Amino acid sequence: MGGVTDSSRPPLAEGIALALRSAEECEVVHLTGRPERCRRDTLDWLAAQGLPEGHVYMRRDAGWAGGGKGDRRPARYTKLEILRRLARTREIRVLVDDDELVCEDAERAGFTVVRARWTAPCAELKVAQEREGRT
């Protein structure tokens, strides 16, 4: 599953229902463009929404803990790289994401995609993901 949003944008019932149904049939992992330094907040947010537990894959952090090499590439690159890495050792049933560019690139790479169109577009988030390499 992709796309953990910031805490000011709660998930909608349709997205939560999809995640819960998916968890009945397969392992759910969370793939986010958020940097590793936001892990605790991200885990707390996922739990508070009642979303299924699963490994959370995050963007590499800058600074000392991240070896000074933070990953500020657009989300469509970082998420696709992680998807490809995961696909080497497991079946990827579906990527759910609200970022059209992430979805397009994942489909071109052969992944099945569900576009999370139940979320309202957020121009500020798109700039953060695509131009600034942050969320």
Side-chain angles (χ1 to χ4, degrees):
M1 308 292 285
V4 173
T5 60
D6 66 81
S7 59
S8 67
R9 295 180 64 211
L12 300 178
E14 187 176 346
I16 292 172
L18 177 59
L20 294 173
R21 280 193 313 272
S22 296
E24 293 173 2
E25 300 176 9
C26 57
E27 175 189 13
V28 172
V29 300
H30 303 278
L31 175 57
T32 177
R34 297 177 91 189
E36 185 63 42
R37 70 180 174 277
C38 298
R39 179 168 291 277
R40 176 63 359 219
D41 289 340
T42 301
L43 294 174
D44 291 347
W45 184 89
L46 290 167
Q49 309 312 313
L51 289 162
E53 289 186 19
H55 188 85
V56 178
Y57 292 88
M58 303 184 81
R59 189 185 295 264
R60 187 177 56 248
D61 241 342
W64 184 255
K69 298 179 181 153
D71 191 343
R72 298 190 68 69
R73 294 174 295 158
R76 66 183 185 270
Y77 300 125
T78 60
K79 288 183 177 182
L80 189 58
E81 181 179 286
I82 293 168
L83 276 175
R84 285 183 170 137
R85 188 174 61 229
L86 291 172
R88 289 194 295 252
T89 60
R90 67 186 74 196
E91 173 190 6
I92 306 296
R93 288 224 186 144
V94 66
L95 167 71
V96 179
D97 207 291
D98 62 350
D99 184 326
E100 188 63 32
L101 296 173
V102 169
C103 293
E104 288 173 4
D105 283 1
E107 282 179 329
R108 273 194 292 274
F111 294 101
T112 301
V113 171
V114 170
R115 285 166 169 77
R117 292 198 168 122
W118 52 83
T119 63
C122 176
E124 183 179 355
L125 183 60
K126 185 171 182 80
V127 168
Q129 290 174 327
E130 293 303 316
R131 292 192 196 151
E132 299 171 9
R134 66 177 181 85
T135 51

